Structures are given as C-alpha cells and as structure tokens.
Amino acid sequence: MVLFRRTLGEVLRSARMQRGLTLREVSAEARVSLGYISEIERGQKEASSELLASLCQALDLPLSVVLREASAAVAREEALAGLVTIERPVALERPARAVVASAA
Amino acid sequence: MVLFRRTLGEVLRSARMQRGLTLREVSAEARVSLGYISEIERGQKEASSELLASLCQALDLPLSVVLREASAAVAREEALAGLVTIERPVALERPARAVVASAA
C-alpha cells in the first residue's frame, strides 16, 4: 500500500535539503516544532492541511509543486507494484516444471 | 491559503460521481463510515494516508492520479491568488486620483 505521508515526507525533506535549510530554520519560519517537522519528513506523522501550507510557505514552494512531485513519486511506486502483479501470471506457469522437478 | 483537504475532497467526490457510485457503495467497499467519507469529500476532515489508500482502491483510482488532479486544481487556485497579488501594485497607483477626487 502506497502511503501518501511517506511520499510527502520525502518530497518535503528533499525540497528542504535542496534549499540548504536546516530543520531548525524551517521550524522557526513555519512556526511548527522541529520534532513534528522531522516526523512528517520521515512519514511518521500526517501533516494537517494548514501545517502543509505553512511548510510550503516556509520552503517557498507552491503546494501544487509538492503535490506534482508526490504524484510522480507515487506513480513510480505504483509502476513497481504493477511489475510485481504482472510477474504473478508468469509465476503461475511454473508449477508444470515444478511437477516435473518433483517427479524427477 | 489553499488547503489540501478541500481540493482532495473535490477530486474524490468528482471521481465518485464520474463512476456513478453512491457514498453508501464507496463506504461499503472502502469499509469507512459513510459520514466520514462525506466529511472528507466536503473538505471538513483530513483523510489519513491509510484511509486515502482505501478510498482510492474503492474508486479503482491510482493515488498518483488523485494527487495529479489535486496538483492541477491547486495550481489553478494558486494562479488565481497570483492574479490578486499582481493587482495590488495597480491598486497602489490609485491614491493619486483619489487625492484629486477628494480635493475637487
């Protein structure tokens, strides 16, 4: 299951690093506790919409861009999950060989 | 301030309507209370990442698509907010005429 908060956390962390900002700086700018931002970045806490808006403002990053990045990252995860699903029918063809192997 | 939950609610509601599904059907499929889904659609409650994943599954809609739609809708709201900001300097030029008007 692809969880939004994990991808969102990665996007926010990546944006902060690209700007060379510390958790302390973003915390002061967004008026959100450092520990809370850290948990959001690690995908451990859900960010409320108000908090997400504050973080975006502190990072000088439009919410639409954060969501676009998150969408792209989730799409990659979904594609990987899709590959696993596609492999299942291939795996289903194998019992024939398995039967031969166990008979041998 | 553009709030993610409002845009998300609109995207989820629109997707449900397009599929011709009732709140009751999505509620049964996603195993989430009807009232809760209704509040999420109206942007009144935040959806946890697990709940969002369940709703996407019930709507047969990849999370990446929901986020892409939300990003596009937020971008439109941001553009509108930008227009308002751009209009401010124009408004600042008006006091000169206002002074003339009050002197006349």
Side-chain angles (χ1 to χ4, degrees):
Chain A
M1 189 191 273
V2 184
L3 293 178
F4 176 56
R5 67 171 171 274
R6 288 196 197 136
T7 314
L8 179 67
E10 285 164 15
V11 170
L12 291 173
R13 183 164 198 274
S14 166
R16 178 174 63 77
M17 305 292 265
Q18 275 175 13
R19 283 156 178 73
L21 293 170
T22 63
L23 276 172
R24 192 172 299 276
E25 286 166 328
V26 175
S27 166
E29 182 71 26
R31 295 182 186 187
V32 179
S33 84
L34 190 150
Y36 197 15
I37 298 180
S38 173
E39 283 184 302
I40 287 169
E41 284 192 358
R42 282 177 285 137
Q44 292 172 347
K45 278 262 166 71
E46 303 277 351
S48 73
S49 297
E50 282 80 1
L51 181 53
L52 180 55
S54 291
L55 285 176
C56 286
Q57 203 162 13
L59 293 167
D60 196 20
L61 187 70
L63 175 59
S64 62
V65 175
V66 170
L67 294 175
R68 200 178 59 206
E69 295 285 317
S71 169
V74 168
R76 286 193 291 274
E77 287 189 65
E78 286 167 350
L80 281 172
L83 282 177
V84 172
T85 310
I86 290 162
E87 274 177 1
R88 271 183 206 150
V90 177
L92 280 176
E93 289 172 14
R94 289 186 188 162
R97 263 196 277 166
V99 169
V100 172
S102 65
Chain B
M1 190 191 270
V2 184
L3 293 179
F4 176 57
R5 67 171 172 273
R6 287 196 196 136
T7 314
L8 179 67
E10 284 164 16
V11 170
L12 291 173
R13 183 165 197 273
S14 166
R16 178 174 62 78
M17 305 293 264
Q18 275 175 12
R19 281 156 179 72
L21 293 170
T22 62
L23 276 172
R24 193 173 298 278
E25 286 166 329
V26 174
S27 166
E29 182 70 25
R31 295 181 186 189
V32 178
S33 85
L34 190 150
Y36 197 16
I37 297 180
S38 174
E39 283 185 302
I40 287 169
E41 284 191 357
R42 282 178 284 138
Q44 292 173 347
K45 277 263 167 71
E46 303 277 352
S48 73
S49 297
E50 283 80 1
L51 182 53
L52 180 55
S54 292
L55 285 176
C56 286
Q57 204 162 12
L59 292 167
D60 195 19
L61 188 70
L63 175 59
S64 62
V65 175
V66 171
L67 295 175
R68 199 178 60 206
E69 295 284 317
S71 168
V74 168
R76 285 192 290 274
E77 288 189 65
E78 287 167 349
L80 281 172
L83 283 178
V84 173
T85 309
I86 289 161
E87 273 176 3
R88 271 185 207 148
V90 176
L92 281 175
E93 289 171 15
R94 288 187 188 163
R97 264 196 277 165
V99 170
V100 172
S102 65

